[in-house]
Amino acid sequence: MKRMLLTSRYGLYAVIAIAFMASCASSKKSTSQHAYMNEQYKELKNILNEADVSIIKDSLKVIFPNNVLFASSSDQLNDKIKPTFEHFADVLNKYNKTKILITGHTDNTGAADYNRELSEKRATAAKQMLNTDKVSNDRMFTWGLADRDPIDTNDTEAGKAKNRRVEFVILYDVKN
């Protein structure tokens, strides 16, 4: 009986040790993911002067204002942004352990269907431009949000201009 209890105790210690090591490995992985995303954040912050680059927990957000990317009521990217997108793509390709969600946004002017379609076309145009610069389609997802997620008021022209934008949310791909 005493021997059985002793064996059970060692078994329990082994289970606890394995669980502890697994949690440490998970912690190290989480720490390395955080470091990976921080390095990417620093590079993006340095090269994307026209965009607002922020880090939120373990993801990055890059917001290009509408006037930088598109003419008003247009889904055609401005030619002036192409060199910036090339640099953006270079960083995305360097840090290829990520997925990118590209969301298009509009202000609340115009019909809801038009705004939804325009926001989707803008997100798709941004994706196509990055794909031209060799960012894999498998890593990018688009979503048109129309006027559903404003970052400023739609009561002023300045607020509306801020709401007309394309955002890139860069997430660590946990499968890597």
Side-chain angles (χ1 to χ4, degrees):
M1 177 80 162
K2 188 174 183 182
R3 185 179 192 121
M4 204 162 121
L5 287 174
L6 191 58
T7 304
S8 295
R9 185 181 305 162
Y10 287 131
L12 180 61
Y13 290 147
V15 169
I16 291 171
I18 290 169
F20 179 72
M21 288 189 295
S23 71
C24 288
S26 173
S27 174
K28 283 182 184 178
K29 188 172 185 179
S30 177
T31 302
S32 68
Q33 289 173 6
H34 186 71
Y36 186 87
M37 296 303 281
N38 274 335
E39 287 301 314
Q40 186 176 17
Y41 165 76
K42 289 175 191 173
E43 286 195 41
L44 289 171
K45 193 84 168 154
N46 281 335
I47 65 160
L48 299 179
N49 298 325
E50 297 90 349
D52 177 26
V53 181
S54 56
I55 191 164
I56 303 165
K57 295 189 180 185
D58 288 334
S59 67
L60 305 177
K61 184 182 263 191
V62 178
I63 301 175
F64 284 96
N66 179 54
N67 63 334
V68 171
L69 294 179
F70 302 97
S72 183
S73 295
S74 173
D75 64 351
Q76 299 300 308
L77 280 161
N78 288 333
D79 286 337
K80 294 177 187 174
I81 199 67
K82 287 181 181 181
T84 301
F85 257 52
E86 287 173 6
H87 297 302
F88 185 30
D90 288 343
V91 174
L92 291 174
N93 286 328
K94 179 179 177 182
Y95 293 91
N96 61 359
K97 294 181 182 178
T98 57
K99 299 284 187 182
I100 304 110
L101 173 63
I102 305 166
T103 56
H105 302 264
T106 65
D107 61 28
N108 67 350
T109 304
D113 285 344
Y114 174 79
N115 284 338
R116 183 189 46 74
E117 186 176 325
L118 179 61
S119 66
E120 289 173 3
K121 286 181 178 179
R122 286 179 171 175
T124 300
K127 176 183 177 180
Q128 288 170 341
M129 177 68 71
L130 288 174
N131 186 249
T132 299
D133 293 320
K134 308 292 187 250
V135 178
S136 170
N137 269 328
D138 294 343
R139 294 178 55 208
M140 296 184 288
F141 306 90
T142 59
W143 193 12
L145 290 174
D147 64 346
R148 290 182 290 196
D149 190 23
I151 56 173
D152 208 326
T153 181
N154 276 306
D155 296 333
T156 66
E157 285 306 312
K160 286 181 181 187
K162 286 183 179 179
N163 290 331
R164 295 186 303 260
R165 66 196 188 280
V166 173
E167 294 184 5
F168 300 82
V169 178
I170 304 166
L171 304 161
Y172 190 86
D173 186 2
V174 293
K175 293 178 184 174
N176 283 321

